[in-house]
Amino acid sequence: MRLRPLVAAAVAALALAACSPAGPDDAPSGEGATTVTVRLWDEQVAAAYEQSFDEFTRQNPDIQVQVNVVPWKDYFVRLPLDVAGGTVDDVYWLNSSNFGALADGGKLIDVGRELADEQASWVPAAVEQYSRSGTLWGVPALTDGRIAVYYNKAMVEAAGVDPDNLTWHPADPAADTFLPAARKLTRDSAGRTADQPGFDPGAITQYGFNAARDLQAIYYDFVGSNGGRIQAEDGSLAFTDPKTVEAFSYLVKLVNTDHVAPSAADTNDNPDFSRDQFLQGKMALFQSGTYNLKNVGDGATFEWGVAPLVAGPQGRVSVVSSVIAAGNADSPRRDAILKVLRWIGSEEGASYVGEEGAALPAVTAAQQAYFDYWEGQGVDTTFFGDAGGRATIPAPFGPKFEAASTAFNPILNEVFAGRTPVAEGMQQAQDAGNAALR
Amino acid sequence: MAGRRQGARRDTRTAYLLLGPSLFGISAFLVLPILVVAWLALQRWDLIGPRTFVGLDNVVAVAADGRFARSLLITAVFVAIVIPAQTVLGLVAALLLNRGLRGSAAFRVLYVLPWICAPLVLGVVWRWVLAPTDGALNALIGRRVEWLADPVLALPSVAAVTVWTHVGYVALFFSAGLRAIPDTVHEAAMLDGAGAGQRFWRITLPLLRPTTFFVLVTQIIATFQVFDSVYALTPDGGPQGVTDVVAGRIYYEAFEQRAVGQAAVMALVLFVLLVVVTLVQQRWFSRRTTYDLST
């Protein structure tokens, strides 16, 4: 009779154990080895990291590394929950919109102090981007390089367009070579181009360009190329800057008046729509970054090339963004984490990412392997570097930029859909974003 | 006397042992979360930084934010579209299935399939079906309609997908309810000269009230809480925020704005609202329902 409560208690304890969430503490360990978990969002880089960490463990038999991939769509929703719940990984990737809050919250290892001797070997722009309150909050893992234009060779040749020399202008049609080219590259189901009479914008079968609410590939660069700003120096939003409004007006016109880009109904909620259209041979010019190079390389079944970013009145101004691998300051495996971070930031550790062509490492000495890989594939990647220009517009920054962007994105959706006038929408977006920043 | 007392004590102990798992489940997964949410409603917390006690500040902020009131209204409209449609369609499907026609069993499985699929997966599939470019539905009708991007069409489109998902589940319950009605009742009515229409309105429907009560209570609660399918179809609250349902707003506040305290207030409001709606329904049905045909 006394056994029953004991059995019941044991069952309850087992049930409780089964309910507890798995965290990094549960990660499998080799005999006597410490396991460090690394979280990232990119499958291509994860595969390269597996090889890199195999070599790391060979050199450091007391540490094993487990790579965990969380899809990009869920990444920054899950991350703060896991940080709050104490189940976040030992090392995790961060972007510029999200690192500030974690740095200010004391959740990240001070890499600037702990790995000060390595700092000179990392891309300076990345070090600057992730320095806050006088310190660096992660090891620069990847840099996206500059934004460039992927083009379908057959389409540009058929239209007689030179993708290397395209310039847009918001006010002077004579200085705008881009719009006429985009119109020649856009076709309807009857084969008419967008500059021909009778062109049917309701039956487009080939788009000229991918104008859309795409922060990194499109609107930051158009705003920068027009001399506008997205954020003021204090981090507040500057959407109502006249040059910024001009750039957005030009983009919205490309979609809704010129009909050379997919409708916002297609692109607002589906960031991959334009890339998929390009890969399916239904888009001539696809402006994007190195983060799509592997996708295009693997997915395109036609001849393609890379051209420089479309130039604006202020030339070719690109946003250049990087990614860091941050260390979890609350983890008990601090020494092992620092060894892994040092490896990620070393030439040898980062070379695996470059050699596979998966992404451009932010470790300067490891970048050549990436360029060599793509040269071997017959792809000229120089326009992602200085050959595509030097001028940049600052990437998103500040501890609450992510909250601001979730506040202003629905408003920008309406602007791109053509339902909200651009100037009015920019004011609304600025107000909503700045309210979220406070 | 002592033996009886010992026996009673043993019975009490056995009763607690039997109730234990349920009590544990209710405490751990119902009472405790409600208490935690109530506690969070009094805090300012962004998930990463420290928690600060702010009293009723979150309540004031939510009351002042017109978007929450708007999301309540949108949810009420959504419920008003979905519940009548899926209840009537579920009943019609159950009536057809219960005629014992060939293939009824296969159709029963077919109807229930959407309900057992993950709503997020269904959302992804329907997004493809309803996509303006290369979407299956537009290809079928031969014209471009922006089902999810048009402010007028977005909410009805999402509602239609929700109805499609739940109709089989509703039909399953009505089907069981119809089977519980003895044939003798219908036969007696037929002998008295009642036609098919009279039998449906005066016998079938009244005797289905316990089933209807159950279906309405569970479906209204589920529809007020709808999130995953709406989120999968219209992630940013839809065009002009027309699909910004309450659960979506709670998610947005908690996980995208990281305003956990305000999200907790909204969750409590939704909880109280559902309790009231359920009590009203329970009261209305309890006066009009016969549960046992033998009484």
Side-chain angles (χ1 to χ4, degrees):
Chain A
M1 197 56 194
R2 281 183 183 173
L3 269 178
R4 282 188 193 174
L6 280 176
V7 171
V11 169
L14 279 173
L16 271 175
C19 289
S20 65
D25 289 345
D26 306 321
S29 296
E31 270 179 49
T34 302
T35 297
V36 171
T37 60
V38 177
R39 180 186 297 199
L40 66 160
W41 58 74
D42 189 311
E43 295 274 1
Q44 309 270 14
V45 179
Y49 266 13
E50 295 281 3
Q51 296 176 40
S52 175
F53 291 137
D54 282 349
E55 176 59 22
F56 170 79
T57 299
R58 205 184 60 73
Q59 295 180 22
N60 300 273
D62 56 331
I63 302 173
Q64 292 196 329
V65 185
Q66 181 184 310
V67 177
N68 296 324
V69 179
V70 175
W72 168 257
K73 196 173 183 307
D74 304 326
Y75 196 88
F76 288 108
V77 173
R78 269 186 61 179
L79 190 72
L81 287 174
D82 290 344
V83 169
T87 55
V88 75
D89 294 83
D90 296 313
V91 173
Y92 48 91
W93 273 13
L94 283 173
N95 67 359
S96 62
S97 304
N98 287 277
F99 91 100
L102 291 155
D104 292 358
K107 300 295 178 188
L108 307 181
I109 290 175
D110 181 345
V111 165
R113 192 181 65 211
E114 300 281 3
L115 302 177
D117 55 317
E118 294 278 353
Q119 208 160 311
S121 59
W122 301 327
V123 169
V127 172
E128 189 187 337
Q129 187 178 11
Y130 289 97
S131 291
R132 184 171 171 77
S133 310
T135 193
L136 174 63
W137 293 104
V139 170
L142 309 178
T143 182
D144 286 334
R146 297 178 64 79
I147 297 299
V149 175
Y150 298 89
Y151 63 89
N152 182 314
K153 277 190 182 170
M155 287 179 185
V156 297
E157 280 169 15
V161 167
D162 175 8
D164 287 353
N165 288 300
L166 294 174
T167 301
W168 69 278
H169 200 289
D172 181 4
D176 191 341
T177 61
F178 170 69
L179 180 58
R183 293 175 79 186
K184 277 194 176 66
L185 291 165
T186 304
R187 288 179 182 276
D188 66 12
S189 54
R192 282 183 289 258
T193 56
D195 57 354
Q196 287 180 331
F199 169 75
D200 180 4
I204 295 175
T205 52
Q206 177 185 311
Y207 296 105
F209 187 66
N210 62 317
R213 181 185 61 76
D214 180 335
L215 181 154
Q216 191 168 352
I218 301 294
Y219 70 75
Y220 257 64
D221 313 287
F222 271 79
V223 167
S225 300
N226 198 38
R229 297 181 305 175
I230 297 290
Q231 281 179 282
E233 281 180 13
D234 65 357
S236 63
L237 295 170
F239 279 135
T240 53
D241 181 302
K243 293 290 176 190
T244 305
V245 175
E246 235 175 31
F248 271 91
S249 300
Y250 186 86
L251 287 169
V252 171
K253 185 170 159 286
L254 287 181
V255 177
N256 298 300
T257 308
D258 303 319
H259 301 292
V260 297
S263 79
D266 286 311
T267 57
N268 273 346
D269 290 337
N270 183 1
D272 295 333
F273 181 83
S274 294
R275 185 197 66 198
D276 294 343
Q277 292 291 306
F278 180 75
L279 292 178
Q280 289 166 24
K282 296 177 183 173
M283 182 177 280
L285 306 175
F286 172 53
Q287 186 165 297
S288 189
T290 50
Y291 47 88
N292 263 319
L293 188 49
K294 188 80 171 162
N295 291 323
V296 172
D298 290 351
T301 54
F302 49 85
E303 276 199 75
W304 56 277
V306 181
L309 176 74
V310 179
Q314 301 294 317
R316 303 185 202 283
V317 182
S318 174
V319 65
V320 175
S321 197
S322 300
V323 172
I324 50 167
N328 176 0
D330 295 330
S331 170
R333 291 169 286 279
R334 191 181 180 91
D335 290 343
I337 287 174
L338 283 169
K339 281 187 181 171
V340 172
L341 285 177
R342 188 178 286 278
W343 174 259
I344 289 172
S346 69
E347 181 184 351
E348 189 179 5
S351 63
Y352 289 85
V353 176
E355 281 166 6
E356 293 294 316
L360 181 60
V363 179
T364 314
Q367 290 189 326
Q368 194 53 46
Y370 176 81
F371 294 124
D372 290 347
Y373 171 87
W374 286 107
E375 197 182 331
Q377 301 288 317
V379 178
D380 179 6
T381 52
T382 55
F383 292 127
F384 292 117
D386 284 351
R390 284 172 177 266
T392 58
I393 178 173
F397 62 94
K400 288 191 164 183
F401 189 85
E402 187 71 9
S405 70
T406 57
F408 66 64
N409 277 342
I411 299 166
L412 294 188
N413 280 349
E414 293 304 308
V415 171
F416 273 92
R419 285 190 289 264
T420 303
V422 178
E424 188 184 323
M426 302 317 286
Q427 183 68 57
Q428 288 175 15
Q430 179 171 297
D431 293 345
N434 282 338
L437 287 175
R438 283 194 283 274
Chain B
M1 193 65 181
R4 200 182 295 167
R5 203 177 299 145
Q6 214 172 16
R9 212 177 295 147
R10 202 182 305 139
D11 285 349
T12 310
R13 209 162 47 203
T14 310
Y16 276 120
L17 264 178
L18 292 170
L19 283 171
S22 296
L23 284 175
F24 170 76
I26 289 169
S27 308
F29 301 114
L30 191 69
V31 179
L32 187 63
I34 291 171
L35 292 176
V36 170
V37 170
W39 175 74
L40 283 173
L42 303 172
Q43 317 281 325
R44 179 177 293 124
W45 187 36
D46 68 355
L47 291 169
I48 294 166
R51 282 181 292 270
T52 319
F53 180 80
V54 291
L56 295 178
D57 282 6
N58 289 324
V59 178
V60 174
V62 169
D65 185 354
R67 291 175 303 177
F68 179 58
R70 184 169 183 252
S71 72
L72 279 172
L73 184 67
I74 289 170
T75 311
V77 172
F78 187 73
V79 169
I81 298 172
V82 167
I83 295 299
Q86 75 187 21
T87 308
V88 170
L89 289 174
L91 180 59
V92 169
L95 287 167
L96 291 173
L97 290 172
N98 272 35
R99 289 193 162 186
L101 300 172
R102 276 180 66 184
S104 289
F107 271 105
R108 199 166 286 142
V109 173
L110 218 59
Y111 283 147
V112 180
L113 268 181
W115 180 72
I116 58 174
C117 290
L120 270 174
V121 174
L122 292 178
V124 171
V125 172
W126 275 98
R127 259 181 82 155
W128 171 72
V129 171
L130 300 174
T133 300
D134 301 337
L137 186 56
N138 284 352
L140 199 69
I141 63 175
R143 57 186 282 245
R144 183 187 169 91
V145 181
E146 295 181 351
W147 300 101
L148 299 172
D150 185 316
V152 176
L153 293 175
L155 192 67
S157 300
V158 174
V161 173
T162 307
V163 169
W164 174 83
T165 308
H166 291 93
V167 133
Y169 174 77
V170 172
L172 206 65
F173 280 97
F174 276 126
S175 189
L178 287 170
R179 284 172 180 221
I181 300 172
D183 291 340
T184 48
V185 182
H186 282 288
E187 284 162 9
M190 279 171 79
L191 286 176
D192 288 341
Q198 278 181 310
R199 291 202 306 278
F200 175 74
W201 290 109
R202 292 179 184 276
I203 296 174
T204 308
L205 265 190
L207 292 180
L208 273 178
R209 274 196 191 127
T211 311
T212 312
F213 171 64
F214 174 81
V215 164
L216 284 178
V217 168
T218 54
Q219 292 304 292
I220 285 177
I221 291 173
T223 311
F224 262 106
Q225 293 176 326
V226 70
F227 168 68
D228 26 24
S229 56
V230 177
Y231 183 74
L233 289 165
T234 51
D236 283 326
Q240 296 177 353
V242 295
T243 61
D244 185 21
V245 291
V246 177
R249 180 122 298 270
I250 294 170
Y251 173 85
Y252 172 85
E253 288 294 338
F255 305 122
E256 294 194 347
Q257 287 300 314
R258 296 175 196 168
V260 177
Q262 291 184 31
V265 171
M266 294 176 185
L268 286 175
V269 171
L270 179 61
F271 171 69
V272 171
L273 188 76
L274 287 177
V275 168
V276 171
V277 168
T278 307
L279 283 176
V280 168
Q281 287 184 90
Q282 200 267 337
R283 210 139 196 217
W284 193 86
F285 271 92
S286 65
R287 291 189 192 143
R288 295 168 175 79
T289 302
T290 304
Y291 286 94
D292 189 347
L293 289 176
S294 63
T295 57

